[in-house]
């Protein structure tokens, strides 16, 4: 069998690196999965509005539903809340007056994931993300393609006529949209919801309408795996809320999970990620707006954020509570 140049180079390089790579893989390999020691299922989500989602997720699990059903139906609660202007169709519109939604879902076993971005007019973007994971060979769909897919899947929708909304907006604002839409702490939030199941399986999801007044087509961290959400079934999971641009440049959720892999408690892992970002980012800490939640395979959880008002929700069969931002330590 003759090898193409690409194959040959690939195999030769692998051969040369083989021993070193194997050695480092062995040292990096997670310790044998530990059974959860805390109460399970454990559900952790961003913000106080996450509590209603956590409670719904717990109910799904207690009724015999799967972890993915719990993530999806839990997040439905926040996506359906008309009083919530940062998640779902009641979210704050972009600079063209259109609500564009981002969501993703991740399932530990098999390291599976699905994601949608800049999705218009679909009531439950988390369901679209789950369908991408379960029914396509892709991980992420965006914009009109994502909407068409969601419609084909029969997901609940509202008619959207972006052009009409866009033209109405342009009439009111003859100048082109500002290159950098103003960011206010009040015009964005995300539900990131993580679950450690009773058998040690981990899953998570995340949904948002993103930054209010964002440029049309802007995608934040939330649907980007490793940024707004990351799940590793051997280690734990992390999720983010805040200014997506300051999260996605650092793959922050992935970083947190890797810190946990090295043995850090979830809370310390969140703090360490913030410290790392603060060190590298030219912005003052107060302007970063980066907030994280995390849980690990053992059933420990934690959070940390640069926003003083950040809080998070933690639910087990024993209790469901909203906890304050523990700060940066
Ligand atoms: N991270 C979201 C985004 O940038 C917004 C937020 O969670 O506050 O789209």
């Amino acid at each position: 069998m003759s090898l193409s140049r690409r194959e040959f180079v690939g195999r030769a390089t692998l051969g040369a690196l083989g021993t070193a790579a194997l050695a480092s893989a062995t040292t990096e390999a997670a310790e044998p999965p530990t059974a959860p020691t805390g109460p399970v299922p454990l559900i952790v989500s961003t913000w106080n509005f996450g509590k209603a989602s956590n409670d719904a997720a717990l109910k799904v699990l207690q009724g015999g539903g799967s972890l993915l059903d719990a993530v999806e139906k839990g997040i439905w609660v926040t996506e359906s809340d008309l009083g919530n202007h940062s998640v779902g169709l009641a979210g704050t519109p972009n600079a063209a007056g259109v609500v564009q939604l981002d969501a993703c879902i991740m399932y530990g076993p098999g390291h599976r994931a699905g994601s949608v971005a800049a999705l218009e007019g679909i009531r439950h973007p988390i369901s679209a993300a789950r369908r991408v994971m379960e029914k396509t060979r892709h991980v992420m769909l965006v914009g009109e393609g994502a909407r068409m897919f969601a419609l084909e899947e029969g997901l609940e929708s509202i008619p959207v006529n972006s052009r009409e909304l866009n033209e109405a907006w342009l009439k009111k604002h003859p100048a082109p949209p500002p290159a950098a839409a103003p960011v206010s702490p009040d015009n964005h939030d995300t539900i990131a919801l993580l679950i450690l199941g009773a058998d040690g399986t981990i899953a998570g999801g995340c949904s948002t309408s993103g930054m209010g007044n964002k440029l049309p087509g802007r995608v934040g961290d939330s649907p980007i795996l490793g940024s707004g959400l990351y799940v590793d079934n051997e280690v734990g999971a992390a999720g983010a809320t805040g200014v997506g641009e300051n999260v996605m440049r650092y793959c922050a959720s992935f970083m947190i999970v890797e810190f946990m892999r090295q043995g850090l408690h979830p809370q310390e892992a969140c703090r360490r990620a913030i410290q790392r970002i603060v060190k590298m980012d030219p912005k003052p800490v107060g302007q970063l707006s980066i907030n994280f939640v995390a849980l690990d395979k053992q059933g420990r959880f934690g959070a940390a954020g640069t926003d003083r008002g950040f809080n998070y929700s933690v639910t087990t069969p024993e209790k469901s509570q909203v906890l304050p931002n523990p700060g940066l330590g």
Side-chain angles (χ1 to χ4, degrees):
M1 182 184 72
S2 72
L3 294 178
S4 72
R5 183 178 146 69
R6 199 160 150 208
E7 278 174 327
F8 175 75
V9 171
R11 290 184 194 197
T13 313
L14 272 180
L17 291 178
T19 324
L22 196 63
S24 97
T26 318
T27 47
E28 258 184 35
E31 318 210 319
T34 339
T37 47
V40 280
L42 167 66
I43 308 166
V44 179
S45 64
T46 48
W47 302 109
N48 50 359
F49 58 67
K51 185 173 172 295
S53 282
N54 288 7
D55 293 340
L58 181 65
K59 225 183 223 169
V60 170
L61 293 172
Q62 287 174 332
S66 71
L67 219 55
L68 283 170
D69 287 343
V71 170
E72 181 181 16
K73 293 193 175 134
I75 289 179
W76 276 5
V77 172
T78 307
E79 288 179 340
S80 307
D81 178 359
L82 297 181
N84 186 316
H85 301 303
S86 49
V87 179
L89 284 171
T92 309
N94 65 15
V98 181
V99 176
Q100 289 190 329
L101 304 169
D102 297 338
C104 74
I105 194 161
M106 234 181 140
Y107 187 57
H111 211 59
R112 296 162 69 209
S115 162
V116 288
L119 174 66
E120 295 176 13
I122 299 296
R123 187 159 143 90
H124 292 303
I126 190 66
S127 301
R130 180 175 178 184
R131 297 275 212 301
V132 172
M133 176 176 82
E134 290 182 334
K135 301 216 171 162
T136 78
R137 60 204 157 86
H138 306 302
V139 168
M140 185 172 200
L141 295 179
V142 305
E144 194 49 25
R147 175 171 163 81
M148 279 164 49
F149 169 73
L151 293 177
E152 271 167 25
E153 284 296 314
L155 296 185
E156 195 179 338
S157 63
I158 57 159
V160 235
N161 186 341
S162 312
R163 185 174 299 159
E164 200 173 84
L165 285 168
N166 204 355
E167 281 168 3
W169 184 86
L170 284 172
K171 268 191 209 140
K172 279 198 269 157
H173 304 83
V183 169
S184 134
D186 305 325
N187 71 7
H188 57 91
D189 281 335
T190 295
I191 175 143
L193 184 146
L194 318 172
I195 308 185
L196 171 68
D199 64 352
T201 301
I202 307 172
C206 167
S207 181
T208 186
S209 54
M211 201 68 68
N213 204 29
K214 62 192 175 185
L215 292 180
R218 177 266 189 190
V219 172
D221 60 316
S222 308
I224 308 292
L225 302 163
S227 288
L229 177 79
Y230 196 67
V231 173
D232 182 319
N233 214 46
E234 287 190 339
V235 178
T241 181
V243 174
E245 284 72 6
N246 299 336
V247 173
M248 62 205 292
R249 284 180 293 125
Y250 300 96
C251 301
S253 292
F254 178 77
M255 198 197 301
I256 292 167
V257 171
E258 289 307 301
F259 283 144
M260 292 192 290
R261 187 192 303 279
Q262 291 163 16
L264 257 57
H265 185 283
Q267 186 138 307
E268 271 320 301
C270 292
R271 283 184 175 146
R272 183 73 67 85
I274 292 175
Q275 284 160 5
R276 167 90 76 90
I277 294 170
V278 165
K279 225 168 157 188
M280 290 166 78
D281 205 284
K283 276 183 222 58
V285 187
Q287 281 173 30
L288 277 174
S289 183
I290 47 176
N291 309 282
F292 303 105
V293 291
L295 58 72
D296 70 10
K297 189 89 178 164
Q298 288 146 267
R300 303 180 301 178
F301 63 86
T306 62
D307 290 337
R308 202 166 295 160
F310 170 61
N311 51 25
Y312 69 113
S313 299
V314 180
T315 302
T316 68
E318 288 168 15
K319 73 174 151 196
S320 188
Q321 54 185 334
V322 176
L323 298 172
N325 182 357
L328 302 179

